[in-house]
Structures are given as structure tokens and as C-alpha cells.
Amino acid sequence: MTLRTIVCAALAAAVLATVPLAGSAHAQQASKRVEDLLARMTLEEKIGQLNLVSGHHAVTGPYTRSDVRSAILKGEAGGLFNVYGAAYTRGLQEIATTQTRLGIPLLLGFDVLHGYRTIFPVPLAQAATFDMAAIEQAERIAAAEAAAAGVNWIFAPMLDHSRDPRWGRVVESFGESAWLGARIGEARVRGLQGRSLKSPDSVAACAKHFAGNGATEGGREYSGGDVSVRAMRDQQLPPFKAAVDAGARCVMAAFNAVDGIPGVANDTLLRDILRREWGFKGVVVSDFGAIEELIVHGVAENPADAGRQALRAGTDIDMESRTFVTQLATLVREGKVLASELDDAVRRILVLKEELGLFDDPYARSSPEREAATVGRPDHFQAARAMAEKSMVLLKNDRNTLPFSTKLQRVAVIGPLADGKADTLGPWAANGNPEDATTLLAGVRRVVGDTAEVLYASGGTIDRTSPADIAAAVKLAARAEAVILALGERSTMSGESASRASLDLPGDQLALARAVIALGKPTAVVLFNGRPLTIEDLDREAPAILEAWFPGSEGGLAAARILFGLAEPQGRLPMTFPRSVGQIPIYHDERPTGRPAGPQPKPYTTGYQDVGPTPLYPFGHGLTYTTFFMGTPRLDRPAIAGGETATVSVDVMNTGARTGTAHVQLYIRHRLARVSRPVKELRGFARITLPPGGVGVVKMPIGEAELAFWQPEGRMAPPSSGKIDVMAGPDSATLKSIILEYRPAGPARQASNTGG
Ligand code: NOJ
């Protein structure tokens, strides 16, 4: 037994002790068509199905790069990625289906993270909408557009849980609440896959990166933190479980190692949990080159060893490392990989192709007519604008600086992000065309029309602002009645391989902002960024701050409509904004300590000497243009038994002067359990739109699913019994509470009150 096997076995034992096995590690018998095909395939043809080749954006015309073409002809590509365009993909499918011996169609994958051509706000911004219907609709549109261009497989949703905004990939994530991540995961899978995978506007979703990929060390890309079984089960896995339960047909194994075992070779994750425990029947694809990287990780001796480990652990498809095509034939001949293991992987891939309808009509998605009619449709752009409006978070609004009056005669728009088209789209803009983007400057011009003069100065670049840039900006701002400062990050500062050690505004943007704010004009900062930033100084000085994220094709218009009161800010932070980078990780669902911080600094309590214990803006924070009173939550019953659901009601009153949408969030805390539970955890949300003086009630359910957590004996369940603080309010730091008792049915369990 190797050390790796021992470690794996130990982890499996700890993790899986009492978990019932829901599914088999082996694929079931597939359809007659798939089984017949499998029976006719040579060893090489089978291995070819496991190889995924990058087409490198070869979309400038209906031509095929010669190496891609020859890979298909040689039967060495079961799928391609980074390929799109109806004519181009049709040509690729034609080669595969008419010029190879068995005519097996291709999987065609692409990273469509927040839209294909119509670019929606980045995923972190989408999470800020807390609007699952809007997220599902955005994915439906993304899928319809990508599918019309021949794509049948999308490498999304990204479901990595991270509490470290230094990690650039938080832009792709759902933020810090794994519970919210699970809801978003379900919504995204439903949106991408639609009602039927066969439909030519549906694609297979691929939940990534399985698992623990967000648990980086120091926010460094491609690093792996030590993830405890509890962190894995309570934080990292629930969004994936939700995506699998929603029917996701693909999972991408992560680059990182968990407990020393990289994702593609992690049989505990891939076989024991994903396939056996969760019953996942779809395909597992490696991340880019990850199989070969097993050697760099120091867990595989050579390519053959890497290929063997990956296949045996349950990785079906090799993305770009070419390890399977070069190694598997020998491994099978030598008996180091079982022919049945190879067959299982091939079968799963063929089943997916069949489910996608590719055997019936490989060209169904590659229709130039549908592509022309679907991609970038005006109603898609409208949906992108609506979502951008829902995603923007009003962080600060002193003395009702916002909304600006539409009667202003002269407005200054200043800043390096005011007119950056690519930066408006965001870092994973798929086939988005920056020329389509409405920047903030263009949006402001559209909103004020001819009624106001719009003055513009870039104020230098994102990285550098000269004294002359500042002087010019100040001079311009002095002529305006109101000023909009567009600040933040370049879009490429977020995303893959875009970690930052400092989360301050890059370059000299703070100096630019200070000089302009010092004029004392009504000034609103609009932030463009893919992660929480450390903006305590800006927050102290700027009268108003609107977090716009990277808002997509219509983002500048959405921001302008909010600034001028044509739309209300509705977003809430899905991730805590720290005061200082040294506070990271800082998040709402922290565990209690025996020495909590009080309102005043006190020795021998938790925290820092040089910064307070609170964040700058808590999870869930977001202001509106009106004010709301939210009552103490009420329960329709004081206790629930097993299988029951309580309804939490919260009275809401609009106490301000404008119609607005209240966003009520629901948190819980288990007062007593066998393991210490977080001081609060998001478990629900609801919104209600009310006119001035209007009153209403929101209702949110709470049942066993909301109370469950990973139990010490190794299963997801509520505690055996106990009291739960049920808290509600406008954000995670402003909550009122009531106690709910949980008493599962059965006399023996009812008698004990020792907590779970
Ligand atoms: C690497 C990234 O980690 C992954 O998210 C992406 O899907 C692949 N590259 C393919 O582009």
C-alpha cells in the first residue's frame, strides 16, 4: 500500500464513515446505440474520446487549424473547446461525423461564465442580485446564444467557495455563503441545461472546480490550502451537491490538492463522494493540463503514472495535457488500467453526446440562421441591463447625495474606468465584443440626453495618474454641478491568474478621487471591480459610493440609470468588504471564539491591535434610495419536528419618501451543538417593493434542510435537538432575532436536549 493510498483511505474513512452509498462508481448500461458503438470501437478510438483539445479561438472564418483537424481525423479528439461560431463548429462536426470511421460527433466546450455575446454582470455581481430567477434567465440566454454558435458544453457554473478576495477568481464565484452558492448552483444548472439537453438551445453544464479550489493560501492562484473534512462538507461541497442534484452533466476536477491529493487524482472526491455518495452519472473533465501537472505536484512519477492515477480516480476527459492519448493504450495493455475502467469513461462520454442529441443531429446547434437571430438579441441586452441594475450595491449615500437630479445642467464624469469598454464587460467575457459595451460615460450621456452637458476626463490610467491629470480633472469637476468618479480595477486584475496582494484602488486613483472630492461638489464614486476592495479612506471621504462590479454589455447604462434615479440600487454584498487586507479572511459565518471582541477594544479578546474587529461593509450590505423599518421575525410555530417547516415572517415598512425594494435576509445560529457552529449563517432572503409609508410582510421557510450541517458521525443532518436563533434584517450586521426550537420526532430523540 502506497502512502497515497493510506492517506486516501484514511480520509475516506473519516469522511465517509456512515454515508450511505447512493450510486455506483460504474456507469450503468447505456442505450443500445451507445453499447453497440462501444463494442465496435478500437482501443485507440476509445482513448481518443477521452481527449479534449483546445481550438484556440479559431473563429475568424470557417476554417480549421490543421492540427485540430488532424486530431479529429486521427480519432484523437472526442471534444474540442474554445471553439464557437455556427459555420466553424458545423465544419468541425462534419469532419468528425463524415470523415472518421465511426462518425462520432464532438463535444464542443467553452468558458461562458457570464454570457456568450450578450455579457451579463460577472458572477460575483450576479450573486449580489440574490435573485435566482434572474440568474437562471441569464444562463438561459447565455446557453441559447452559445448553443446557436455550436457550443454544446459550457465550463460553468464555477462553484468554488472562497473567503479570500485576494484570489482573483472570486469574481467567478458566488461569494462567501456556501448556502447561497448552492442556490446559485442550482439556478445556473437549470438555466444552462434548460428543460431538455437535446434542445438545440441547451448545453451541458460543467460545475467546477471540484473541489476545494477556492481554499487558496494567501489568495494565491493555484495554491491549495489545508481543507478540513468539516470545511469540505460544510463550505466547499454543498454548492456542487446542489448542482449535481439539479442534474449537472459534468464536473471539472480541480487543479489544487486536497489533503495532498490533486483534484484529478482524488478518488475520495471523484469516486467515493461524487459518484458513490451523490450518484453522479455524468462526465468528469480535468482542468487545463491538470493530469500532467500531477508530476509537478510530486504525486506522479511520469506521464504514465499520471494518466493511470487520473483515470483510475475517475477523471474521464483529459483537457489538453495529452496524457491519456499518449499513455492509456500501453497502460491498458499492461493491465495497469482495466479495460472496463476505460469503457466506463468512454460510455459516460458517449451517453452525454447522446443526451445532447448529437448522434441524431450533430448540426442542430450549428445553425448560422439561428446564430444570427439569437446572438446579442435586443431583449438579451435588456435582460443584461436589468440584471446589472439588480446587481449594483449602494455602499454609501450620505445626505442623499444620490440619486442625482435629471435636471442637472452640467455633470462631470471622471476616471480611468469611465469609458473602458473591455473593463465594462469583465474578465471572462467569452465572445463578448467590447464595441457592444455601453460604458458609464456613454450611459450617462444616454440618460441625461440633451438636457445636460457631460464633461469627461480620464484622470490618467488605472495604474498611473500624473499631477497634470489630477489638475485637469479638478478643473473639469469645478465646472460641474455633480461629479461621477469611475474608479476601480482593470478587468484583467480579476479572474484566473489574477491574485492581488493589495486590495487598495490600484495606481493613484485615491489621490485623484481625493482631489476631486475636496471640491465639495455632490460626488458619487462608481466602482468597477471583481472583488471586495479595501476602500476605507475612500469611504471616509466620498459622499456616495455605488459598487458596479464588472457589469457587462449594458453596465454603464445600468449604473447611469441608478445614479439618476431611473432605477433603484438593489444589490447586496455577497462577500464582506474588509477594512484592511490584514483582516482577511473576514466573513459573516465565522465561528464563535471563547473570547469574543466587545464593542470596545479589550486585552485578551479576539482581534487586532491596529484595526477593529468589524469589516468596512458586512455581508449582505446594500442601501436603497428610501429607508425601511424591519420588525422582529415572527414564527408560525415555536418549534418544529422532523420533516416540518416553520414560516418566518418579517413586517416591513417603507419609512422613506420613495418607492423602494426592501431586502430581508434570514440567518440562523444553533445555540448548542456538539461542534461549535457559526455565529450566523445565511439561510433565506426575500424582497418586497413598497411605496412610501407602505407596509408588507415577507415570509421565508425554515426546515431541516436549512438547519443541517455536517455531523461528527459523518452525515448532513440537523442537530439531534435544540434551540436556534432565527435572525432577520437588512444585512448580516443588523439583525433582530427569535428562538425556534427543533425537536425531531420520536420519543427517544425528543427526550434528549443535548444539541447535535
Ligand atoms: C482553466 C480554468 O481553471 C478553468 O476554469 C477553465 O474552464 C479552463 N482553463 C478552460 O479554459
Side-chain angles (χ1 to χ4, degrees):
M1 208 185 231
T2 63
L3 181 58
R4 197 184 78 80
T5 328
I6 295 168
V7 173
C8 269
L11 179 65
V15 175
L16 295 169
T18 59
V19 177
L21 302 182
S24 148
H26 296 279
Q28 311 289 325
Q29 276 271 309
S31 68
K32 189 168 176 309
R33 170 161 55 189
V34 166
E35 294 300 337
D36 282 353
L37 196 51
L38 195 56
R40 285 190 289 132
M41 291 171 83
T42 63
L43 180 60
E44 283 69 24
E45 281 166 340
K46 288 178 183 174
I47 293 168
Q49 285 299 305
L50 275 49
N51 197 30
L52 179 63
V53 177
S54 175
H56 298 293
H57 297 274
V59 287
T60 46
Y63 71 90
T64 313
R65 268 182 32 173
S66 59
D67 54 342
V68 171
R69 186 188 161 87
S70 86
I72 305 173
L73 285 174
K74 281 195 279 176
E76 283 184 0
L80 303 173
F81 67 117
N82 291 334
V83 290
Y84 44 86
Y88 179 49
T89 53
R90 193 188 165 90
L92 296 170
Q93 294 288 21
E94 216 165 56
I95 303 173
T97 54
T98 63
Q99 298 177 42
T100 64
R101 191 179 78 90
L102 295 171
I104 301 175
L106 298 161
L107 286 175
L108 298 177
F110 193 30
D111 288 289
V112 177
L113 272 292
H114 51 113
Y116 171 78
R117 172 63 71 88
T118 304
I119 302 303
F120 286 83
V122 289
L124 188 63
Q126 294 194 24
T129 67
F130 282 71
D131 187 332
M132 300 310 120
I135 291 175
E136 185 173 336
Q137 188 204 13
E139 291 295 46
R140 206 64 295 281
I141 291 172
E145 291 195 357
V151 173
N152 51 42
W153 184 26
I154 279 181
F155 302 144
M158 191 276 215
L159 296 175
D160 296 342
H161 177 260
S162 176
R163 290 166 168 163
D164 197 330
R166 290 171 295 183
W167 190 45
R169 301 200 78 167
V170 297
V171 70
E172 296 171 62
S173 84
F174 50 77
E176 72 190 35
S177 163
W179 181 85
L180 182 62
R183 305 291 76 75
I184 290 176
E186 294 158 356
R188 288 196 184 284
V189 170
R190 281 196 305 265
L192 290 170
Q193 297 193 165
R195 281 209 199 91
S196 159
L197 260 200
K198 272 208 168 62
S199 166
D201 67 357
S202 286
V203 295
C206 192
K208 67 189 189 182
H209 310 85
F210 194 71
N213 193 52
T216 58
E217 277 190 340
R220 284 186 300 279
E221 183 66 299
Y222 312 126
S223 71
D226 225 351
V227 191
S228 69
V229 170
R230 174 160 303 286
M232 201 62 169
R233 290 296 192 163
D234 278 346
Q235 309 297 339
Q236 298 292 338
L237 294 183
F240 286 98
K241 171 77 163 61
V244 167
D245 288 348
R249 297 299 207 284
C250 166
V251 163
M252 186 184 293
F255 285 129
N256 66 294
V258 167
D259 203 25
I261 319 288
V264 289
N266 200 315
D267 37 13
T268 302
L269 284 171
L270 296 182
R271 287 207 188 275
D272 298 340
I273 294 179
L274 181 66
R275 293 208 186 279
R276 293 210 180 86
E277 189 184 322
W278 296 355
F280 176 70
K281 302 275 193 299
V283 301
V284 173
V285 61
S286 82
D287 204 339
F288 198 115
I291 297 181
E292 194 176 31
E293 287 175 18
L294 289 175
I295 303 168
V296 191
H297 273 282
V299 299
E301 220 177 319
N302 49 37
D305 191 22
R308 182 188 59 80
Q309 288 193 38
L311 190 89
R312 300 213 68 181
T315 302
D316 301 321
I317 301 179
D318 176 357
M319 185 194 289
E320 271 292 328
S321 91
R322 316 284 159 114
T323 309
F324 281 173
V325 267
T326 55
Q327 307 301 323
L328 273 184
T330 313
L331 287 167
V332 172
R333 285 189 191 109
E334 288 174 354
K336 291 183 180 151
V337 163
L338 302 179
S340 63
E341 289 173 314
L342 174 63
D343 281 358
D344 284 345
V346 179
R347 184 182 286 112
R348 285 191 284 262
I349 293 163
L350 297 178
V351 166
L352 178 59
K353 291 182 176 184
E354 184 172 59
E355 287 179 325
L356 284 163
L358 295 174
F359 288 118
D360 301 321
D361 182 359
Y363 311 124
R365 287 180 183 75
S366 305
S367 143
E369 296 75 36
R370 203 155 31 76
E371 181 181 43
T374 310
V375 167
R377 251 169 40 188
D379 58 318
H380 294 178
F381 268 54
Q382 271 160 27
R385 193 201 77 208
M387 178 176 255
E389 288 173 6
K390 287 181 178 176
S391 74
M392 294 187 187
V393 185
L394 186 60
L395 296 175
K396 180 179 178 188
N397 194 20
D398 267 6
R399 297 182 306 280
N400 293 329
T401 302
L402 290 175
F404 290 143
S405 160
T406 39
K407 300 204 173 63
L408 293 176
Q409 303 208 321
R410 202 174 283 150
V411 184
V413 181
I414 295 169
L417 272 302
D419 205 23
K421 289 177 176 246
D423 292 321
T424 303
L425 292 187
W428 277 101
N431 190 24
N433 180 357
E435 287 315 308
D436 294 345
T438 305
T439 63
L440 180 60
L441 180 62
V444 170
R445 287 194 171 127
R446 284 258 287 279
V447 165
V448 300
D450 297 333
T451 62
E453 190 186 350
V454 179
L455 311 171
Y456 166 64
S458 71
T461 68
I462 290 163
D463 308 297
R464 189 155 310 133
T465 314
S466 68
D469 293 326
I470 293 183
V474 168
K475 199 165 159 207
L476 190 96
R479 292 172 49 213
E481 291 158 83
V483 182
I484 299 165
L485 275 167
L487 309 175
E489 299 179 303
R490 217 182 2 265
S491 64
T492 49
M493 296 175 111
S494 285
E496 187 177 352
S497 191
S499 296
R500 293 184 62 202
S502 159
L503 296 184
D504 293 344
L505 279 176
D508 311 307
Q509 295 183 73
L510 184 59
L512 170 72
R514 278 189 162 138
V516 171
I517 292 166
L519 290 172
K521 304 264 176 182
T523 302
V525 173
V526 180
L527 287 175
F528 294 85
N529 47 289
R531 50 155 68 84
L533 297 174
T534 46
I535 49 165
E536 199 171 19
D537 291 337
L538 184 70
D539 172 77
R540 210 174 289 120
E541 296 174 35
I545 306 177
L546 179 69
E547 173 57 76
W549 314 104
F550 294 120
S553 304
E554 291 280 273
L557 181 58
R561 282 170 49 82
I562 291 174
L563 293 173
F564 288 90
L566 306 185
E568 54 168 340
Q570 287 188 57
R572 300 293 181 268
L573 291 182
M575 207 167 181
T576 303
F577 270 50
R579 291 179 189 280
S580 120
V581 87
Q583 287 181 312
I584 296 169
I586 181 167
Y587 48 93
H588 77 284
D589 46 352
E590 64 180 6
R591 264 165 224 289
T593 154
R595 296 181 174 194
Q600 301 302 328
K602 220 167 120 195
Y604 304 105
T605 60
T606 187
Y608 303 92
Q609 291 195 338
D610 51 354
V611 61
T614 59
L616 181 60
Y617 306 118
F619 175 85
H621 172 71
L623 305 173
T624 60
Y625 285 157
T626 185
T627 50
F628 291 101
F629 166 82
M630 292 184 192
T632 302
R634 288 179 279 115
L635 291 165
D636 66 340
R637 62 196 75 190
I640 54 171
E644 288 181 351
T645 299
T647 300
V648 185
S649 302
V650 180
D651 297 326
V652 184
M653 181 176 183
N654 183 341
T655 51
R658 291 174 68 101
T659 294
T661 304
H663 191 280
V664 186
Q665 296 160 28
L666 178 73
Y667 296 82
I668 61 156
R669 178 184 185 175
H670 294 279
R671 287 207 157 179
L672 184 63
R674 276 185 288 151
V675 290
S676 123
R677 296 302 302 162
V679 293
K680 61 190 85 148
E681 295 176 279
L682 182 76
R683 284 296 182 269
F685 51 84
R687 57 173 78 70
I688 182 168
T689 302
L690 294 168
V695 291
V697 185
V698 297
K699 293 181 187 294
M700 293 163 283
I702 186 154
E704 286 184 311
E706 284 73 34
L707 301 182
F709 58 89
W710 189 247
Q711 297 294 330
E713 69 270 22
R715 67 196 175 103
M716 208 58 159
S720 56
S721 66
K723 292 192 168 116
I724 296 116
D725 290 314
V726 173
M727 301 167 268
D731 61 56
S732 65
T734 319
L735 298 170
K736 295 175 180 170
S737 75
I738 188 169
I739 292 174
L740 171 70
E741 201 143 344
Y742 176 66
R743 300 193 215 112
R749 299 185 79 184
Q750 240 167 5
S752 97
N753 192 19
T754 51

